[in-house]
Amino acid sequence: MSAQPAAVIVLAAGEGTRMKSRTPKVLHRIAGRSLLGFALRAGAELEPQRLAVVVRHERDAVAAHAEAELPGVVVVDQDAIPGTGRAVQCALGVLDAKEQAGAALLSGSRTEAHGSVVSGPVVVTAGDVPLLDSGTLGQLLEAHEADGNAVTLLSTRLPDPYGYGRVVRDENGDVVGVVEERDATPEQREIDEVNTSIYVFDAAVLREALTQVDDANDQGEVYLTDVVALAHRSGKRVRALVVEDQWLVTGVNDRAQLAEIGAELNRRIVTGWMREGVTVVDPATTWIDVDVQLARDVTIHPGTQLHGTTTVEEGAEIGPDTTLRDVVVGAEATVVRTHGFSARIGARATVGPFAYLRQDTVLGERGKIGTFVETKDAQIGAGSKVPHLSYVGDAEIGEGTNIGAASVFVNYDGVNKHRSKVGSNARTGSDNMFIAPITIGDGAYTGAGTVLLKDVPPGALAINSTTQRNIEGWVLRRRPGTPSAEAASKALEGDAEKELSPQARAELARGNHDVAVPRDGHTPTENGSGTER
């Protein structure tokens, strides 16, 4: 880009009352980035000498976000005087002061720096137009420079221009001014070319015109659009660059527009990735943030959301019904019906279905995190598996190890978290409890149902089960009248009848109930007597 602006000014002082939100309008997000974030990045890509953001409503939150999004941005406070013209005037004053201070520092003389101010093209853009990109701003800037304009504004044509400022041209097609909806005549309201509130000004023209702008309008605000008419009346060149893609200049005023623009941006992102060699089975149910990176031959199944800085490498399959945020997925890995964030999944690994990968989970190559498994701060080595119904937290598992179903790494003692370590090629049984801190050695085995309270040496078998004990008749004695007791009674009577001799069973069949039925450990005889076992 040959043209470089002296400054970019992003307007973000508005209250955004139509959002009906405690969150400032410009901090609402689409595709993983705030509206203000889009504006700041587009402006920064022009490589201006200075970039400023004007704030007022929820000043501290907006300023902090701007500085985090773009370190070095100049934060400008708008005073109580309302209007976009006043916002730009405040910004230009701060930038002029910084220019003078910088010149004085270089020259070492305040006298030499006295007249130093911002000079050259100044780009003014809005903090609520997220699809406006640096390419479009660059075209506007180049047109401004090429034509030698004092003011160049970005416009578009709308079939229904209601609510927008109209671009008024003379018989030669030159721009003579911008009139707001409230101040427009019936004839002017028929104009379909509208102002987008995106401009390039010559700094000297802008500075001079702003001293002449007042608030004599229906809103009682200092309009930046008045600078357009003032520049024209003073004989300076004013032009408009018409952008055909209306989405690029569509602003957000309420939640409905936020959703509409978010959907359009997502459509463009998804389409872009498909053209780069990514298979998206159902674009309508796939959401991809702007900072996500996908390699060729990735397949994304329906119902998938990829957020933040998620990266998916070549040949991996994601979904269906999967949400990943800031996750790295290795080549040819498979992630199905999984929710994960801040995790790493190795090449050719498998995850899911119904897995939950929390922060600092690392799954090695060819590893497996299976059905209904939750992990957190867990490093699982290459080829190791956690197949079913388990929680692995604050743990390190070596290579080639299998963790049995329904296992829990008990990492929290009520005050502190502790770590567990399982070596390589270990085989742990189902329903194990690993009471941290603990170490299970390489090649060790553990029995099913084991509660592991102390370290297991390499190659050892750890068990702590006891001999099973059955207390017969407990339900009949302790839970009489319950469905369980009735079921047990019938089952016991049925078992007792099976132990009778054929003659005794015949007597029962004839209705002779004097035949003894064994209960509580007695052995029956045909005459009803029993012998203790």
Side-chain angles (χ1 to χ4, degrees), residues 297-298 312-317 329-335 346-350:
D297 291 327
V298 165
V312 184
E313 297 179 4
E314 189 169 327
E317 291 198 38
V329 181
E332 300 180 24
T334 302
V335 184
R348 298 181 297 285
T350 60

Side-chain angles (χ1 to χ4, degrees), residues 58-86:
E58 295 289 343
R59 185 262 181 214
D60 291 345
V62 177
H65 180 80
E67 290 170 336
E69 189 75 25
L70 189 67
V73 65
V74 178
V75 176
V76 176
D77 291 288
Q78 184 174 354
D79 55 24
I81 301 174
T84 53
R86 181 57 178 173

Side-chain angles (χ1 to χ4, degrees), residues 21 40 50 87 130 138 140 154 183 224-225 252 254 263 318 384 423 516 521:
S21 174
L40 290 173
R50 294 192 184 275
L140 182 67
L154 197 63
D183 304 313
L224 184 59
T225 50
V252 174
D254 56 31
I318 311 296
S384 289

